Amino acid sequence: MVLNSKYIASNNPGSLSSMALETLQNIIQKDYKFRNWAGIYSCKPQLYFQPTTIEEVSSVVKDARSLGKTIVTVGSGHSPSNMCITSEWLMNLDKLNKVLGFEEVKDLHYADVSVEAGIRVFQINDYVATKNYAVQNLGSISEQSIAGIISTGTHGSSPYHGLVSSNIVNLTIVNGLGEIVFLDSENHPEVFRAALLSLGKIGIIVRATVRVIPAFNIKSKQEVISFEDLLERWDTLWTSSEFIRVWWYPYSRKCVLWRGDKTEEAVTPARKSWWGTTLGRLFYETLLWLSCKVYTPLTPYVERFVFQRQYGQLSNNGNEDINIANSVKAFNMDCLFSQFVNEWGCPLENGPQILRSLDHSITQASNNKEFYVHVPMEIRCSNTTLPSEPLDTRDRTVTSRGTVYGNILRPYLDNTPSSCTYTPLNSVTNSQLTLYINATIYRPFGYNTKIHEWYSLFEDTMSVAGGKPHWAKNFLGSTKNSAGDVKIESEYDDFEGRGLGRKIQEWYGDNLVKFRDIREQQDPDNVFLMNKEWVFRNGIVSD
């Protein structure tokens, strides 16, 4: 037994009696303080759980339900938002991190690895590498839990791959009734669709099966191009490689274009990084601190200096920097310092007008000393369209492009355009693709840089162009678009979210209605409606 309500002190249902504390000391803490990776938000929950079995997870859920408590599940805390902040019960699955099985399907060129859902992505990477396999597509880091990247709509950057959730074969969740439920494309497919991007509101993911492919290296080309060149090449650029991303430096009028394709060629020495050195990193963060806290008009000069130190040689020579790395090292990148992150996805065809608008706004704001942006602004794409039937993968090779799907179900809360239509890999066009623009603002040495003016303009620009925010990032919204209680504007902190519930209801329509119905079915007593303010103001549930 993990937790039973008879052990709960009747005068304080958030604490345990001495009897329970003695029994559960290895899996419960009373004085735990959670802090997310960025250091923006922290909380001290009533109870903190680290279960070691699925049955323990179920028992905790049942007791939370009987006591009217809510549960938040956290992994690495890499989301910079406050969506996982709670004053009630907090659960971490780091001790549910075992590999449960590995099934190789050689004739179809994939394998399915079954894991406990608290396992970190880098641990999956390491395990499948021993089998000469690799995760198909990754985001910028691998520190998150597998449950975390599924629940928040994590994506990479590729015109031939979509959300990481499309590589998931099945899930096992503990729902709000404490029931252990197996989900896949045939077993409760509608619940599966909801759980593939659930924000933790459907249940606690406790197991997952991930479809992986034979290990591959990525041969990448990195070059410096002008901002104008990026726009001129837009129509053909985004389908020119299997993996592609752009880092935009507005004050330098430059972009760093990175393109990669699978290869069987051997790995070459890693690229050198100025800010990858201890001195370079410290100097960069110090410059940011001075430009954020002491004198903000320094910001463009800092950007130009750092760009020159990192990419000056490549920029001056006009050459391509060619490198070969294993897939994990090619996908992952250094996120540098604590940061606010606001990322939106929209139709890729709207990209040029968005970037021209943002470029004009950034330039005008700098000239008028109104606000400044941090760099780089990351520009990526994904193809979240899905075939109507599973693909035949018998003829694939190690270097074949595209996804070997674990499922072909679109999550209800997928924030990418739903109007795009799937076409075979040899005929992918920009019209199928989602454009992601990431506006990062650093917090040098923990200083809360001002973001509201810039982020509000950024969000308005993206919204007009058909965009929607990444669920786990620092989108702010506005009092007019909030679906929850609002304060007068002067009472908000600069970085505090106002809410986007009215827009979210408009954007997601029937899909949000279906998600809410499934949520209520799986969690009728609202065990997973933690952080109710965030939930209501962003329209996940209605009042």
Side-chain angles (χ1 to χ4, degrees):
M1 178 184 295
V2 177
L3 179 62
N4 191 288
S5 55
K6 73 179 182 180
Y7 291 135
I8 304 298
S10 59
N11 63 340
N12 183 359
S15 64
L16 293 169
S17 68
S18 58
M19 183 179 184
L21 188 60
E22 181 179 354
T23 304
L24 307 171
Q25 59 183 339
N26 292 329
I27 57 174
I28 294 182
Q29 294 183 43
K30 293 180 63 179
D31 298 313
Y32 181 82
K33 184 174 182 179
F34 168 73
R35 184 181 180 90
N36 68 351
W37 174 83
I40 304 168
Y41 297 105
S42 63
C43 65
K44 189 175 181 180
Q46 291 172 338
L47 295 175
Y48 175 73
F49 301 85
Q50 277 197 315
T52 59
T53 68
I54 295 177
E55 290 71 27
E56 289 174 355
V57 175
S58 174
S59 294
V60 173
V61 171
K62 289 176 180 177
D63 281 292
R65 182 188 180 209
S66 67
L67 292 164
K69 294 296 179 182
T70 61
I71 300 175
V72 179
T73 306
V74 295
S76 63
H78 249 277
S79 169
S81 83
N82 66 337
M83 65 185 295
C84 290
I85 299 302
T86 184
S87 60
E88 296 193 5
W89 291 5
L90 189 69
M91 182 180 291
N92 172 269
L93 301 183
D94 280 359
K95 293 183 179 179
L96 279 171
N97 64 351
K98 300 182 183 66
V99 175
L100 302 172
F102 184 86
E103 182 180 357
E104 191 173 21
V105 187
K106 286 189 175 182
D107 59 328
L108 297 180
H109 306 284
Y110 68 76
D112 290 339
V113 56
S114 297
V115 296
E116 293 180 324
I119 194 170
R120 300 297 176 87
V121 175
F122 72 83
Q123 294 173 312
I124 298 176
N125 292 337
D126 291 345
Y127 174 80
V128 298
T130 66
K131 305 288 188 179
N132 202 30
Y133 275 79
V135 174
Q136 301 187 55
N137 190 23
L138 293 169
S140 297
I141 58 172
S142 291
E143 281 74 22
Q144 317 101 311
S145 67
I146 188 64
I149 68 171
I150 295 167
S151 299
T152 54
T154 295
H155 60 89
S157 186
S158 171
Y160 301 97
H161 296 265
L163 301 183
V164 172
S165 62
S166 67
N167 302 148
I168 303 303
V169 180
N170 58 59
L171 297 172
T172 301
I173 68 168
V174 175
N175 68 15
L177 300 171
E179 299 169 338
I180 300 169
V181 186
F182 178 80
L183 308 172
D184 65 10
S185 299
E186 296 180 355
N187 294 276
H188 311 293
E190 296 306 306
V191 182
F192 190 39
R193 285 186 66 186
L196 285 170
L197 203 169
S198 71
L199 307 176
K201 304 300 185 289
I202 299 296
I204 299 172
I205 298 174
V206 289
R207 287 179 179 167
T209 298
V210 185
R211 184 150 292 171
V212 296
I213 59 176
F216 58 95
N217 294 332
I218 293 179
K219 184 174 185 178
S220 64
K221 296 183 293 184
Q222 187 167 272
E223 58 185 308
V224 173
I225 62 175
S226 70
F227 177 68
E228 291 74 18
D229 192 20
L230 172 67
L231 300 183
E232 289 175 4
R233 297 166 61 178
W234 193 268
D235 289 344
T236 58
L237 181 68
W238 292 102
T239 55
S240 59
S241 288
E242 184 169 7
F243 306 101
I244 184 168
R245 55 196 177 206
V246 174
W247 295 289
W248 176 29
Y249 290 76
Y251 301 123
S252 295
R253 312 297 301 165
K254 299 288 187 181
C255 297
V256 178
L257 169 61
W258 181 97
R259 288 181 285 180
D261 288 286
K262 296 188 182 90
T263 183
E264 295 185 83
E265 295 180 54
V267 169
T268 58
R271 292 186 174 102
K272 294 182 179 179
S273 168
W274 174 74
W275 56 51
T277 66
T278 301
L279 181 61
R281 182 180 292 263
L282 178 62
F283 191 49
Y284 186 7
E285 191 166 11
T286 301
L287 290 176
L288 285 169
W289 184 86
L290 290 170
S291 65
C292 292
K293 187 173 176 62
V294 179
Y295 186 59
T296 55
L298 279 175
T299 305
Y301 298 95
V302 171
E303 188 240 79
R304 295 182 193 120
F305 171 78
V306 171
F307 179 85
Q308 187 62 28
R309 294 296 302 174
Q310 181 73 3
Y311 300 110
Q313 184 175 2
L314 183 61
S315 179
N316 292 336
N317 291 340
N319 295 323
E320 294 178 338
D321 177 15
I322 299 175
N323 182 257
I324 301 173
N326 70 48
S327 58
V328 175
K329 290 183 178 179
F331 288 141
N332 289 173
M333 58 180 286
D334 187 349
C335 291
L336 295 174
F337 322 112
S338 171
Q339 57 198 245
F340 296 105
V341 184
N342 200 348
E343 181 184 76
W344 286 51
C346 69
L348 185 132
E349 290 182 315
N350 295 341
Q353 72 182 68
I354 294 170
L355 293 176
R356 288 190 181 98
S357 178
L358 292 176
D359 181 55
H360 174 77
S361 298
I362 291 168
T363 301
Q364 289 297 107
S366 177
N367 291 340
N368 298 331
K369 298 182 179 180
E370 295 170 341
F371 65 79
Y372 299 90
V373 305
H374 286 168
V375 295
M377 289 183 64
E378 189 175 41
I379 305 170
R380 294 184 287 172
C381 74
S382 279
N383 185 345
T384 60
T385 63
L386 295 165
S388 58
E389 299 289 340
L391 302 181
D392 185 346
T393 60
R394 286 173 294 182
D395 294 331
R396 280 183 66 95
T397 68
V398 170
T399 59
S400 291
R401 290 180 170 182
T403 303
V404 180
Y405 293 99
N407 72 84
I408 50 175
L409 299 176
R410 178 182 172 86
Y412 288 115
L413 296 186
D414 183 352
N415 76 322
T416 62
S418 58
S419 58
C420 302
T421 303
Y422 176 84
T423 63
L425 293 179
N426 58 5
S427 57
V428 171
T429 66
N430 283 2
S431 63
Q432 292 171 251
L433 306 182
T434 297
L435 173 71
Y436 298 103
I437 301 181
N438 184 326
T440 293
I441 292 290
Y442 293 115
R443 302 176 64 252
F445 302 114
Y447 174 73
N448 278 335
T449 308
K450 298 292 184 182
I451 63 172
H452 186 260
E453 191 171 2
W454 160 227
Y455 275 8
S456 295
L457 186 149
F458 173 74
E459 291 180 9
D460 287 345
T461 303
M462 295 300 295
S463 178
V464 168
K468 298 194 264 316
H470 188 299
W471 287 105
K473 304 301 173 72
N474 297 112
F475 62 90
L476 299 181
S478 65
T479 54
K480 70 177 182 180
N481 287 323
S482 177
D485 295 332
V486 297
K487 302 178 285 190
I488 62 174
E489 188 62 35
S490 60
E491 294 180 354
Y492 285 94
D493 289 329
D494 177 77
F495 62 86
E496 187 176 353
R498 279 68 165 169
L500 272 174
R502 295 181 187 276
K503 281 290 186 181
I504 285 169
Q505 292 174 42
E506 174 189 327
W507 290 331
Y508 289 89
D510 289 343
N511 279 339
L512 180 59
V513 172
K514 291 176 183 176
F515 179 86
R516 287 174 174 174
D517 289 344
I518 292 168
R519 209 213 69 74
E520 290 176 2
Q521 171 202 7
Q522 295 297 312
D523 184 25
D525 297 300
N526 297 330
V527 173
F528 301 118
L529 279 194
M530 61 287 186
N531 197 344
K532 293 181 177 65
E533 182 184 352
W534 189 94
V535 170
F536 284 118
R537 73 172 183 247
N538 289 306
I540 306 302
V541 298
S542 56
D543 292 328

